[in-house]
């Protein structure tokens, strides 16, 4: 059984379809990323799946429970890490976690376990923490009742490089322990490393779903070839002009349709011109390339509801 099922989800604000017929499935035990520009509908989709926003159309199931008919069962089986903190600045870390545990009827002993596991300063007030520590506490609070599914909305937004790396590592560890992780992001480094599958969302619609390599093949495009030879002669550059050569660091960057044909040509040129090949590597289009290709030509939409995070 899938952990999350969304079928033709619709959300309308003042006549604008913020979410417009969105469908996808998330397998148990996978990391699934919803990738899209600001205003694409990512946060609204999360709010619909977690019972924070009603559905204007379609249906959704989390852990086999309907988000419309079994809202309490859905909320009991998920942890939610919102983009902005939902904890209390004036309470200490431990007090926040104890309060959350009481809300979910979770064992109080769980608080001590999380404080130790996440290396949290139990007696410091939440409002006094750094952004990275706050994010760790919010994730810990979402796990206090040990839910099988974790939703994270822009989990590393506004974090410094070290804190963002720590959060990504934490997500990977939780997934290895069996948690299903659903995250939204517009950070390409996260999309390249974290998820098993990605859905790209634009203007309220899902425009592609798949594993990274599946998405990269979807847009076609040329393969990047990085080539280091010695010497680089003007004659060689003329012979390679069809591949749009440019200097990239210490070597050449070329764009190739067929790698096998290019290797054959390179061997022939090597025999004829007498250069030495020091390095050659190929690179498929990146997730960022796919993202730009599938969301290009579209301006970001203003929020139709006058302030809700789309």
């Amino acid at each position: 059984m899938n952990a999350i099922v969304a079928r033709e989800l619709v959300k309308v604000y003042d006549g604008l379809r913020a979410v417009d017929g969105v469908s996808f499935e998330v397998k148990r035990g996978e990391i699934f990323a919803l990738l899209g520009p600001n205003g694409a509908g990512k946060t609204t989709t999360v709010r619909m799946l977690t019972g924070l926003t009603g559905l204007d159309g379609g249906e959704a199931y989390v852990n086999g429970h309907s988000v419309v008919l079994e809202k309490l069962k859905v909320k009991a089986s998920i942890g939610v890490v919102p983009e902005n903190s939902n904890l209390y600045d004036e309470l200490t870390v431990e007090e926040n976690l104890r309060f959350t545990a009481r809300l979910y009827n979770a064992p109080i002993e769980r608080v001590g376990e999380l404080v130790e596991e996440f290396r949290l300063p139990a007696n410091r007030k939440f409002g006094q923490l750094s952004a990275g520590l706050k994010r760790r506490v919010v994730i810990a609070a979402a796990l206090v009742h040990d839910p099988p599914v974790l939703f994270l909305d822009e989990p590393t937004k506004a974090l410094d490089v070290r804190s963002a790396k720590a959060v990504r590592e934490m997500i990977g560890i939780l997934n290895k322990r069996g948690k299903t992780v659903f995250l939204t992001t517009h950070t390409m480094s996260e999309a390249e490393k974290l998820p098993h599958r990605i859905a790209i969302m634009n203007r309220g619609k899902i425009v592609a779903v798949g594993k990274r390599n599946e998405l990269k093949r979807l847009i076609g495009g040329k393969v990047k070839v990085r080539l280091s030879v010695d010497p680089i002669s003007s004659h060689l550059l003329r012979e390679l002009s069809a591949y749009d050569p440019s200097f990239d660091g210490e070597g050449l960057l070329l764009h190739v349709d067929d790698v096998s044909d290019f290797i054959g040509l390179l061997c022939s040129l090597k025999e004829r011109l007498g250069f030495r090949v020091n390095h050659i590597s190929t690179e498929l289009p990146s997730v960022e390339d796919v993202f730009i290709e599938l969301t290009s030509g579209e301006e970001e939409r203003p929020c139709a509801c006058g302030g809700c995070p789309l």
Side-chain angles (χ1 to χ4, degrees):
M1 182 170 59
N2 291 309
I4 302 170
V5 177
R7 296 176 183 153
E8 297 296 324
L9 294 183
V10 174
K11 187 64 184 179
V12 180
Y13 293 110
D14 292 338
L16 173 66
R17 288 194 168 217
V19 176
D20 190 5
V22 163
S23 298
F24 57 82
E25 297 177 349
V26 179
K27 302 173 184 176
R28 289 194 181 277
E30 79 172 338
I31 301 177
F32 185 91
L34 189 58
L35 179 66
N38 290 330
K42 304 186 302 296
T43 295
T44 299
T45 299
V46 171
R47 290 177 63 84
M48 295 169 76
L49 292 173
T50 56
L52 296 175
T53 296
L55 280 61
D56 292 329
E59 55 185 352
Y61 300 88
V62 179
N63 291 310
H65 305 302
S66 166
V67 301
V68 175
L69 302 177
E70 302 172 284
K71 190 176 296 186
L72 291 179
K73 289 184 178 180
V74 169
K75 290 187 175 182
S77 67
I78 63 174
V80 181
V81 180
E83 181 178 345
N84 299 311
S85 169
N86 57 348
L87 300 182
Y88 297 97
D89 286 347
E90 65 274 17
L91 298 182
T92 66
V93 169
E94 184 174 355
E95 288 168 344
N96 268 297
L97 294 180
R98 283 178 171 269
F99 177 70
T100 306
R102 286 195 293 270
L103 289 177
Y104 284 99
N105 292 318
I108 293 299
E109 295 77 17
R110 177 75 173 147
V111 171
E113 295 171 2
L114 290 167
V115 166
E116 182 176 351
E117 179 180 356
F118 285 66
R119 300 193 301 275
L120 303 175
N123 297 320
R124 287 182 61 186
K125 289 189 175 182
F126 182 77
Q128 298 173 345
L129 303 180
S130 67
L133 265 177
K134 283 183 177 180
R135 183 59 68 184
R136 279 161 52 186
V137 177
V138 173
I139 293 174
L143 294 168
V144 74
H145 56 303
D146 197 24
V149 177
L150 186 62
F151 287 87
L152 301 105
D153 192 10
E154 300 285 356
T156 62
K157 184 177 180 180
L159 297 185
D160 61 73
V161 173
R162 181 172 296 180
S163 297
K165 182 175 183 291
V167 168
R168 286 193 293 268
E169 289 174 350
M170 186 183 300
I171 292 170
I173 291 170
L174 292 171
N175 177 247
K176 287 180 180 178
R177 294 178 182 173
K179 302 292 184 189
T180 301
V181 179
F182 183 105
L183 63 93
T184 72
T185 185
H186 60 262
T187 304
M188 295 303 145
S189 60
E190 286 179 4
E192 284 284 3
K193 297 174 182 177
L194 271 178
H196 299 111
R197 290 191 303 133
I198 300 168
I200 297 179
M201 191 171 187
N202 194 41
R203 296 184 67 81
K205 295 179 178 291
I206 298 291
V207 295
V209 181
K211 297 179 180 178
R212 286 185 291 273
N213 285 341
E214 292 172 345
L215 294 178
K216 291 173 182 180
R217 287 194 293 268
L218 181 65
I219 67 168
K222 297 179 182 293
V223 177
K224 294 178 182 178
V225 175
R226 300 183 188 279
L227 177 65
S228 174
V229 301
D230 185 27
I232 298 177
S233 65
S234 58
H235 191 174
L236 174 62
L237 291 176
R238 284 196 298 270
E239 292 286 349
L240 297 176
S241 61
Y243 302 104
D244 191 24
S246 60
F247 287 97
D248 180 40
E250 297 181 356
L252 293 172
L253 175 64
L254 306 115
H255 300 83
V256 175
D257 288 311
D258 190 305
V259 176
S260 296
D261 288 347
F262 175 76
I263 294 297
L265 172 65
L266 186 64
C267 290
S268 175
L269 291 174
K270 182 177 181 296
E271 291 295 323
R272 183 150 51 91
L273 301 178
F275 56 81
R276 183 174 67 254
V277 177
N278 298 320
H279 172 81
I280 184 170
S281 64
T282 60
E283 179 182 322
L284 285 170
S286 66
V287 170
E288 183 174 17
D289 294 330
V290 178
F291 177 80
I292 291 172
E293 175 74 18
L294 295 180
T295 61
S296 62
E298 301 283 3
E299 296 181 358
E300 292 183 6
R301 296 177 298 169
C303 180
C305 66
C308 114
L310 291 179

